[in-house]
Amino acid sequence: MDRVAVDALNRFSERWLFYRGLVHWAGFRKAAVDYDAPPRFAGSSSYSLTRMFNMGLDAVFSFSLLPLRVSHVFGVICMFSSMLYGVWAVAKWMVTSTPVPGYTSLAILVTFIGSLNLLTLGIVSEYVGRIHEQVKGRPVFLIKESIGFEKRAASDASDTAHLETCDAA
């Protein structure tokens, strides 16, 4: 990576940085460099399957809200499934005048309330996901180059120095 890309990536204040994803997210130009890796001189890789799995989880959780939305979707599916099962059980009872064997009403009630819990959890997770995105502190955009702003940047630096001396007093 060149200095511009490294400096841009060093500005991120996230705790779990997934650099492969951040380089792609930042939009820097990429080029592949083919090389033949020589065989390992001694020992074996210390990067275990568990560490690779954790890195994959970091990639998913750093760049996607999909895991939070899964409970929401699953709750909606379960709720409609329990409603359909309830309609079917009532229709069978009305047509044949025999109830569905077992604890039909209890099963319908438990699945419906469980699906409402998942739906509510999904709604809360949407808010948590948005908070998570905000707290990461990623810049909205990265500026590759600025032209004609050198004078303004110097005056901003002097204003900042003035504020720091006022705060210290």
Side-chain angles (χ1 to χ4, degrees):
M1 285 193 277
D2 66 353
R3 176 53 43 196
V4 174
V6 171
D7 289 342
L9 292 175
N10 282 336
R11 283 190 266 164
F12 291 103
S13 61
E14 299 174 34
R15 183 176 171 142
W16 291 283
L17 287 173
F18 181 67
Y19 285 107
R20 293 175 187 169
L22 285 174
V23 169
H24 178 71
W25 177 86
F28 292 110
R29 286 181 288 172
K30 297 169 236 3
V33 178
D34 294 328
Y35 70 97
D36 292 323
R40 188 178 288 275
F41 176 70
S44 62
S45 173
S46 63
Y47 219 77
S48 66
L49 184 61
T50 303
R51 286 180 71 188
M52 288 185 357
F53 181 74
N54 288 336
M55 183 177 66
L57 288 178
D58 285 345
V60 170
F61 292 132
S62 294
F63 291 96
S64 176
L65 296 180
L66 183 66
L68 295 174
R69 292 181 176 151
V70 166
S71 66
H72 186 106
V73 172
F74 190 64
V76 170
I77 291 170
C78 287
M79 186 173 66
F80 284 124
S81 299
S82 68
M83 288 170 60
L84 287 175
Y85 179 66
V87 169
W88 176 79
V90 169
K92 182 175 181 191
W93 174 71
M94 291 178 82
V95 171
T96 63
S97 67
T98 57
V100 177
Y103 299 101
T104 307
S105 60
L106 183 61
I108 293 170
L109 184 65
V110 167
T111 55
F112 185 74
I113 290 175
S115 62
L116 282 178
N117 281 336
L118 282 174
L119 181 64
T120 305
L121 180 65
I123 292 168
V124 170
S125 68
E126 283 291 324
Y127 286 108
V128 170
R130 292 165 196 257
I131 292 168
H132 178 257
E133 288 295 319
Q134 186 71 26
V135 168
K136 281 193 261 187
R138 289 184 187 165
V140 178
F141 52 85
L142 296 174
I143 299 172
K144 180 179 179 181
E145 181 180 4
S146 61
I147 300 172
F149 289 97
E150 292 79 18
K151 190 172 188 177
R152 175 77 176 147
S155 67
D156 286 346
S158 65
D159 290 344
T160 305
H162 172 69
L163 291 176
E164 289 173 1
T165 56
C166 290
D167 290 339

